[in-house]
Amino acid sequence: MHQPAISDYGFLSDCRSGALVGRDGSVDWWCPDRFDAPAVFGRLLDPGAGHWRLAPTGAGAPGHRAQRAYLPDTLVLRTVHHTPEGSVAVTDALAAELGARGHQLGLNSPAVLLRTVTGLSGRVRMTSDFAPRPDYGLLRPYLHGQPDGAVLAVAGATMLELRSDGPQLHAGTDRVHTEFEVASGDVVGFAAAHGRSYGEQPARLDPTTMIVETAQAWEAYRETHRYDGPYTDLVRHSATVLTGLTYARSGAVAAALTTSLPEQIGGDRNYDYRYAWLRDFSLTLRALWVAACPAEASRFFAWAARSIGQVGPEPVPVLFGLEGERDISEHVATHLRGYADSRPVRIGNEAWRQRQLDVPGEVLAAVWRLHDYLGETFDEELREMVVGLTEQVANTWHLPDRGMWETRDADRHYLSSKVLCWVAMDKAVTLAPRLGGRGDPRRWAAIRDDIRATVLREGWNEQVGAYTGAFGSDQLDASVLLLPVLGFLPATDPRMRATIAVIQRELSTDDVLVRRWDSDPAGFLLCSFWLVECLVLAGERGRAEALFERAVGHANDVGLLSEQIDLSTGASLGNTPQAFSHIGLINAAWRLADPTTD
């Protein structure tokens, strides 16, 4: 089977879960219960792990071409297929709850995948091939035709009900294969509804009506979220993608929709990103604040505070499940071949066990950003969390950790971790007046200054002529671009300017794609956006704008950014759509709007 490029996929979301639909009309990824639940369509990671293809019969043959775009300010995807016989439009969406508007979007999503076919010209023969394989392809469901014409697929705990308002559905041995013709003006709808074998039953929705309703729900949501600044369309779309990656019931933002899309084809750095990272916290919050609204930011903050719970001496995990689950232990799905035969496929993420010293800094920076908005809700539990995290940093900042790239070899004294320890102490000093006498700002300030002096002394490498990734190392690391972004050093500082120049010379390709380190096989898009911010802060706005515009050019045809970009081919790599990449875009655009923004 031909493996579609990562950039071939469009993203659907109901703010409960998401799906990927290829340019060829095949839904190859859908975990209907929630983002990190088992997939019922998993062909993204194995040819036999399930799919639902809806496209002109013989699509891909000479004379066929497809054009697609989202309906404005939505994640409802419309693909127009042109064939020698005529043209049709396939519109795909994950259904919103009927009547959901504003911040109700996603709270009670019914887990229904909607697909409609509209005849535009001529007469086009269509094929629907519905082949669910629950539990990441481990299960082959029984298919039962129903008296009302639906087909029920049941296996294990999963139930899917396929309905059509057009052609009759016939249950085969392991799939529902349907062929039908669409003439100009015809509209044919399908709906695949998820339920539980021993619980919630599949919802029964009219696909044509509900696609219109879902588009209106997205449009109404975006109408309440305004952004006035440069690159408005790009920022608004990235904000929509971030909303689509948000698990609305808790406010948590998943790092990506997928698991185990490789950083290098055939490589083994394939990880599960369907969870919410506290490391991304302050940058995500800033992006939500800029491009969405304080309500979304505060809901995300509330999720984090509840997930952390009471702070003890043990490190706060760097990531959690979408409802705050702490133990998300990793296992390998050995039955899956992986994207383009890139193994292993991992379910879960062992990084939750790592010591990550930067986590408290991310959380305290978020508290600082929200403290005026929080107002009366700055209660005793929040004070306790601030004090607990601050004291944890005070007691542990001198220890090594695994660093923001979550290395799986050894602990080191990573520069970015130490700088975020400095951020934690700096924000704690600022927040001390809100802590009801529980703060110790004099001692905290002394520790903050000690961290700063240590970073400036131990982080600089005279031979390299730059701040390097870890104390005593001669290895460059693009994470040190955070120093100006976080306010640790001005970008105009001579040593910082030298560091930016060395990173551009040694780690960037064509001054656009920035690798994380020298042996990194691909450009990491977030690092490119950090470089944009550094150039703005250094007073080089023209270069920053040029870099920004070239970096966003690596989005696919519907504006989605993956994690990384292949240096030689420009192909998208890594999990997609990647929240961090879209967060980087929003924050870089805002920095271009106002260099003084924090």
Side-chain angles (χ1 to χ4, degrees), residues 16 59 125 165 170 219 265 296 329 336 344 349 381 385 387 416 431 434 438 454 459 466 490 492 551 559 564 576:
R16 170 180 176 174
R125 188 158 188 81
D165 60 14
H170 298 283
E219 290 162 0
I265 298 299
E296 282 185 70
S329 296
L336 295 175
N349 197 306
E381 288 185 5
M385 184 182 77
V387 172
S416 59
L431 292 168
R434 301 290 298 272
R438 298 184 59 187
T454 303
T492 53
Q564 294 183 262
T576 195

Side-chain angles (χ1 to χ4, degrees), residues 401-421:
D401 73 344
R402 291 299 176 91
M404 73 176 304
W405 307 127
E406 297 169 8
T407 59
R408 297 197 172 192
D409 50 7
D411 289 2
R412 297 178 178 85
H413 291 281
Y414 287 100
L415 208 69
S416 59
S417 297
K418 305 302 184 189
V419 168
L420 274 154
C421 288

Side-chain angles (χ1 to χ4, degrees), residues 397 418 421-426 429 441-457 488:
W397 72 267
K418 305 302 184 189
C421 288
W422 173 87
V423 168
M425 303 310 296
D426 185 60
V429 170
R442 187 184 299 273
R443 180 171 62 88
W444 292 349
I447 295 170
R448 175 198 63 192
D449 296 343
D450 191 13
I451 297 171
R452 177 181 174 83
T454 303
V455 169
L456 295 176
R457 182 180 66 251
F488 181 84

Side-chain angles (χ1 to χ4, degrees), residues 32 57 71 87 102 106 123 134 146 163 219 221 264 312 368 403 408 431 447 453-454 496 527 531 589:
T57 305
L71 302 186
S87 298
R123 192 172 188 87
Q146 304 298 297
R163 293 183 167 276
E219 290 162 0
Y221 185 88
Q264 184 178 23
W368 171 81
R408 297 197 172 192
L431 292 168
I447 295 170
T454 303
M496 196 64 233
C527 296
L531 181 56

Side-chain angles (χ1 to χ4, degrees), residues 39-385:
V40 296
F41 300 137
R43 187 157 70 170
L44 182 73
L45 298 176
D46 189 282
H51 68 278
W52 180 13
R53 188 170 183 270
L54 178 61
T57 305
H64 174 265
R65 59 189 176 89
Q67 298 171 298
R68 59 186 182 168
Y70 287 110
L71 302 186
D73 286 333
T74 79
L75 290 178
V76 177
L77 185 64
R78 184 175 187 266
T79 304
V80 177
H81 295 273
H82 300 285
T83 76
E85 294 74 33
S87 298
V88 296
V90 176
T91 305
D92 296 313
L94 285 173
E97 181 189 14
L98 183 64
R101 294 294 184 268
H103 291 287
Q104 296 173 330
L105 180 65
L107 294 179
N108 293 291
S109 293
V112 179
L113 178 55
L114 307 168
R115 315 193 75 179
T116 63
V117 184
T118 303
L120 301 178
S121 66
R123 192 172 188 87
V124 180
R125 188 158 188 81
M126 300 289 295
T127 297
S128 170
D129 192 49
F130 179 81
R133 299 291 184 266
D135 210 359
Y136 303 107
L138 285 173
L139 296 174
R140 189 176 295 261
Y142 289 106
L143 301 176
H144 304 287
Q146 304 298 297
D148 62 359
V151 173
L152 195 64
V154 182
T158 299
M159 179 185 297
L160 288 173
E161 187 174 66
L162 178 65
R163 293 183 167 276
S164 168
D165 60 14
Q168 187 173 1
L169 303 175
H170 298 283
T173 304
D174 66 347
R175 66 192 60 224
V176 181
H177 187 86
T178 308
E179 295 193 11
F180 57 99
E181 287 190 345
V182 177
S184 179
D186 290 348
V187 179
V188 177
F190 297 85
H194 171 262
R196 295 184 175 89
S197 297
Y198 308 103
E200 177 187 7
Q201 295 300 294
R204 296 185 174 184
L205 304 178
D206 177 77
T208 305
T209 301
M210 284 307 299
I211 277 189
V212 173
E213 171 69 22
T214 299
Q216 290 174 349
W218 278 100
E219 290 162 0
Y221 185 88
R222 288 261 60 91
E223 279 299 311
T224 64
H225 300 77
R226 293 293 185 183
Y227 165 78
D228 296 313
Y231 305 104
T232 302
D233 290 345
L234 288 171
V235 170
R236 284 178 65 86
H237 183 57
S238 283
T240 300
V241 173
L242 282 185
T243 301
L245 288 170
T246 300
Y247 182 68
R249 294 176 182 177
S250 68
V253 180
L257 178 65
T258 56
T259 178
S260 301
L261 292 184
E263 297 180 9
Q264 184 178 23
I265 298 299
D268 62 359
R269 289 181 57 86
N270 318 319
Y271 302 113
D272 194 345
Y273 278 14
R274 298 173 298 157
Y275 308 103
W277 264 253
L278 288 184
R279 164 173 304 107
D280 309 354
F281 195 51
S282 65
L283 295 176
T284 305
L285 211 67
R286 181 175 172 230
L288 292 174
W289 192 273
V290 166
C293 71
E296 282 185 70
S298 62
R299 197 155 56 102
F300 185 33
F301 177 82
W303 165 83
R306 182 171 294 180
S307 298
I308 291 169
Q310 292 190 37
V311 179
E314 66 281 353
V316 175
V318 69
L319 72 156
F320 291 89
L322 300 177
E323 293 183 356
E325 300 90 347
R326 185 166 290 214
D327 185 344
I328 48 176
S329 296
E330 179 179 294
H331 70 274
V332 173
T334 55
H335 66 288
L336 295 175
R337 286 171 46 179
Y339 178 85
D341 291 320
S342 302
R343 296 183 182 89
V345 172
R346 294 180 170 96
I347 309 298
N349 197 306
E350 282 302 298
W352 77 274
R353 301 180 188 274
Q354 295 180 353
R355 179 166 62 229
Q356 298 283 352
L357 297 178
D358 56 351
V359 171
E362 291 282 353
V363 176
L364 293 177
V367 176
W368 171 81
R369 182 170 298 280
L370 282 175
H371 75 278
D372 285 335
Y373 181 78
L374 290 168
E376 296 299 319
T377 62
F378 208 103
D379 56 18
E380 185 59 29
E381 288 185 5
L382 181 54
R383 294 188 185 100
E384 183 178 315
M385 184 182 77

